[in-house]
Amino acid sequence: MTYQAKIVPSGESFQIDAEESVLDAGLRQGIALAYGCRHGNCSTCKYFLEAGEVDHGGASIYSLTEAEREEGFALLCCARPLSDLVIATRGETDPRSLPLVTPSARVGTVAGVTQVTPSLWQLTLELDAPLKFYPGQFVELQAHDGGGWRSYSIASSPAHGSRLEFVMKHVASGMFSGALPTMTRGTSMALRGPFGMSYLRAGAAPVLLVATGAGIAPLLSILEDAMEREDPRRFELFYGARTAADLPLAAHMDSYATRLGDRFSYRPTLSRAAPEWAGRRGRVTSALQHEIADASHYDAYLCGAPHMCDIVGTLLEAKGIRDNQLFYDKFHPAS
Ligand SMILES: Cc1cc2nc3c(=O)[nH]c(=O)nc-3n(C[C@H](O)[C@H](O)[C@H](O)COP(=O)(O)OP(=O)(O)OC[C@H]3O[C@@H](n4cnc5c(N)ncnc54)[C@H](O)[C@@H]3O)c2cc1C
């Protein structure tokens, strides 16, 4: 069974199979819809349905309340059509957004897997065919044949679309990441993508990059891309960790400093620093609070734990940054 969806006020329309989500159908047909986690957790894809009925699927009650469902709102990443739909947008698009890359399927083969901090691992996958993506986007990897799909940001440059790098947090009970310590070269897995709206936009403003934990991943892709394209902007990376041992990929930071010169600054800050640590102490929010007086002239990319992204976003808004200069990559757990 196939249904028809119409977007107002643009008048665009697309077809939705009864078994697929409204978001997947739109992306498949090149319709630029706002979205984030794709698992019903972040609310970015919440739209008002002017007409039609959907099954809300796995939308969490926190992201889409009962009252919102009754009013006619839906999370498009979870919603499956039960009739034709009319989807209302505010008619605003980001003038700096790039043409949608239609997601497609690949097979990735493990070419390397290395532990880089006590909790983070670096995974390299060779793909069966190159993947086009923008720096900052993510893909979904299937944990095992028939297993769940997990979102991971690409940590390497779009110039190397056949060999993707990732930085992953190891969760012992994790369906995907739990297998990292025993994963071997040659293991293959299904991959689909690219997804995500939090990719590097063109512009003249300096770029503020903020991450904790595995949130460094999409920022590495942005920095690799900036280095390769000789992007003239200034990139300021604030990274929060607990201890010096939790700071990943020092060699990458050194190479950005060498290649980008004073267009790159790396500002790690430690919340549980040892006495001998000579750098910044405290959380990433306090480093930003002290070191960014006026955020209005930056583009900012905030990546990692959703709570950290929200706090930093609020802080930067208080320091003058506007909505259209702020890009979030919130790492909501899939389950
Ligand atoms: C757009 C996007 C991009 C992402 N990019 C990355 C990335 O580049 N690197 C990365 O490491 N993660 C990333 N994530 C987060 C990652 O997809 C989830 O954490 C995912 O659930 C991990 O799968 P898993 O198999 O390890 O654990 P699961 O099987 O999903 O979960 C097992 C248990 O661990 C808990 N859990 C899962 N993840 C975490 C976590 N991060 N912290 C604490 N508890 C957790 C779950 O709630 C559950 O109880 C991203 C998420 C999104 C939405």
Side-chain angles (χ1 to χ4, degrees), residues 62-331:
Y62 304 105
S63 309
L64 186 69
T65 63
E66 281 301 341
E68 287 173 322
R69 291 167 204 233
E70 276 167 30
E71 277 173 54
F73 287 93
L75 297 187
L76 300 192
C77 70
C78 295
R80 283 175 171 66
L82 298 172
S83 70
D84 288 346
L85 305 175
V86 177
I87 303 166
T89 64
R90 279 170 288 166
E92 295 162 2
T93 47
D94 174 359
R96 292 191 293 164
S97 64
L98 293 168
L100 189 97
V101 180
T102 309
S104 53
R106 296 284 185 282
V107 175
T109 303
V110 175
V113 55
T114 321
Q115 187 168 13
V116 292
T117 71
S119 62
L120 298 181
W121 288 67
Q122 196 175 22
L123 178 73
T124 307
L125 293 181
E126 290 282 358
L127 304 193
D128 54 343
L131 187 77
K132 178 175 156 66
F133 64 93
Y134 300 127
Q137 287 197 293
F138 69 97
V139 295
E140 291 176 348
L141 299 172
Q142 193 172 27
H144 50 78
D145 238 3
W149 292 87
R150 296 292 184 262
S151 305
Y152 286 105
S153 303
I154 303 166
S156 47
S157 157
H160 310 290
S162 303
R163 192 180 167 92
L164 305 187
E165 308 243 322
F166 300 90
V167 177
M168 299 175 168
K169 176 172 172 172
H170 174 236
V171 180
S173 63
M175 188 188 281
F176 185 92
S177 73
L180 284 168
T182 53
M183 208 173 264
T184 50
R185 284 169 69 100
T187 305
S188 63
M189 64 189 72
L191 177 154
R192 62 190 185 197
F195 301 110
M197 313 285 289
S198 175
Y199 51 80
L200 181 65
R201 302 302 200 274
V207 180
L208 189 59
L209 306 171
V210 183
T212 53
I216 193 74
L219 304 184
L220 295 175
S221 181
I222 286 174
L223 286 163
E224 294 285 332
D225 175 69
M227 216 166 55
E228 283 172 2
R229 286 187 305 102
E230 299 188 358
D231 192 315
R233 286 175 284 186
R234 180 171 164 73
F235 291 80
E236 297 176 26
L237 170 59
F238 284 78
Y239 185 75
R242 286 185 188 171
T243 70
D246 297 314
L247 295 173
L249 305 168
H252 283 60
M253 301 304 146
D254 291 345
S255 89
Y256 304 142
T258 307
R259 294 274 299 277
L260 293 167
D262 60 10
R263 284 181 290 127
F264 175 65
S265 81
Y266 176 41
R267 308 190 194 178
T269 177
L270 301 182
S271 59
R272 293 190 200 161
E276 61 274 18
W277 171 254
R280 290 170 187 76
R281 288 167 182 270
R283 293 187 184 275
V284 76
T285 36
S286 68
L288 288 160
Q289 175 68 11
H290 289 111
E291 293 173 44
I292 303 291
D294 174 9
S296 66
H297 61 284
Y298 284 97
D299 279 336
Y301 296 81
L302 318 180
C303 309
H307 183 59
M308 181 281 293
C309 294
D310 289 337
I311 293 177
V312 171
T314 304
L315 176 69
L316 295 179
E317 278 173 357
K319 288 176 177 282
I321 201 164
R322 291 191 304 269
D323 261 7
N324 60 3
Q325 300 164 278
L326 203 45
F327 302 94
Y328 291 95
D329 202 355
K330 299 182 187 179
F331 285 10

Side-chain angles (χ1 to χ4, degrees), residues 5-26:
K6 183 175 166 201
I7 310 257
V8 290
S10 74
E12 288 170 292
S13 63
F14 60 100
Q15 311 253 308
I16 320 169
D17 293 338
E19 296 310 311
E20 68 183 335
S21 74
V22 180
L23 177 66
D24 279 348

